[in-house]
């Protein structure tokens, strides 16, 4: 059975004012959805426009607010089985002048969750430090993404991450802290920065980074044993930190990759015309 959660709605202005077109005064909906009892809870956030901020919090479920000045964009929540889905409404017109949509979502840390974000043009910031993350999937078109994981995942195995962008930029920081075993990152023409810092690796992490024309900056903290291979049609390696050793035409290593018995980071980079930069900062 699908349970639809009814929001508490708070008007952000004392009274609604008349407006031309589909926009009006912003309305705020309050989120307060308990996690279902499950080994892993699947949480999906689906948005089209605006901004989304997601943070880890000391709660027992999904809390926060969604605010929009377009009536058709008001969000809905569905809870069924082991899944929670929060979805932005659909408008009848593709472009709404002065349309606003802002989500501020908190995810409870204590329960393992599989997090999925399906966005088009909603710029998104994820601050997931300490979240019990069992996996991450991001699908977006023109959205700009910031992903930060400042505190380690309580789970030793953080599962797999799949991030697919068309355009927009991506910045990922503390990407060792989620304890992923696999990362698949794909972009068409958006530039991306991926910083593999944070806690030491709990297990081998295999990362496939693919770009058509977007440039990639890969930043690996000193002491992290890593190997990077770079295959490209027309791109170039623009910058290499002295901490890296080049072992052949396409392979670079850092952190004693060849000799360590500790978990290692193995990165394959493929581009068409996108360039690569290799950095190493703490």
């Amino acid at each position: 059975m699908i349970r639809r959660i009814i929001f508490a709605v708070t008007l952000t202005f004392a009274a609604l004012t008349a407006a031309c077109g589909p926009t009006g005064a912003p309305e705020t909906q309050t989120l307060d959805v308990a996690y279902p009892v499950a080994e892993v809870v699947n949480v999906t956030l689906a948005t089209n426009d605006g901004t989304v901020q997601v943070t880890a919090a000391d709660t027992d479920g999904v809390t926060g607010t969604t605010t929009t000045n377009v009536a058709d964009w008001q969000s809905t929540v569905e809870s069924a089985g082991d899944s929670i889905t929060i979805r932005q409404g659909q408008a009848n017109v593709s472009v709404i002048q002065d349309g606003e949509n802002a989500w501020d979502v908190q995810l409870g840390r204590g329960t393992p969750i599989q997090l999925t974000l399906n966005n088009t043009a909603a710029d998104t910031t994820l601050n997931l430090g300490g979240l019990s993350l069992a996996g991450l999937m991001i699908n977006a078109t023109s959205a700009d993404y910031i992903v930060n994981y400042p505190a380690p995942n309580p789970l030793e195995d953080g599962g797999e991450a799949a991030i697919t962008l068309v355009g927009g930029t991506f910045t990922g920081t503390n990407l060792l802290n989620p304890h992923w075993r696999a990362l698949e990152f794909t972009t068409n023409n958006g530039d991306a920065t991926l910083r593999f810092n944070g806690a030491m690796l709990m297990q081998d992490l295999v990362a496939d980074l693919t770009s058509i024309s977007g440039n990639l900056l890969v930043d690996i903290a000193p002491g992290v044993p890593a190997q990077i291979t770079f295959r490209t049609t027309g791109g170039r390696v623009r910058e290499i930190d002295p901490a890296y050793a080049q072992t052949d035409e396409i392979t670079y290593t850092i952190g004693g990759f060849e000799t360590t018995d500790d978990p290692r980071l193995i990165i394959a980079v493929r581009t068409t015309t996108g360039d690569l930069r290799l950095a190493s900062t703490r």
Side-chain angles (χ1 to χ4, degrees), residues 7 15 21 67 106 120 144 190 207 247 275 277:
F7 291 108
T67 301
Q106 292 85 50
T120 52
D144 293 329
T247 61
D275 296 333
R277 287 176 167 82

Side-chain angles (χ1 to χ4, degrees), residues 137-141 162-166 184-187:
M137 179 177 292
I138 294 172
N139 298 291
T141 55
I163 301 169
T164 303
L165 308 176
V166 177
E184 183 175 336
F185 176 87
T186 303
T187 184

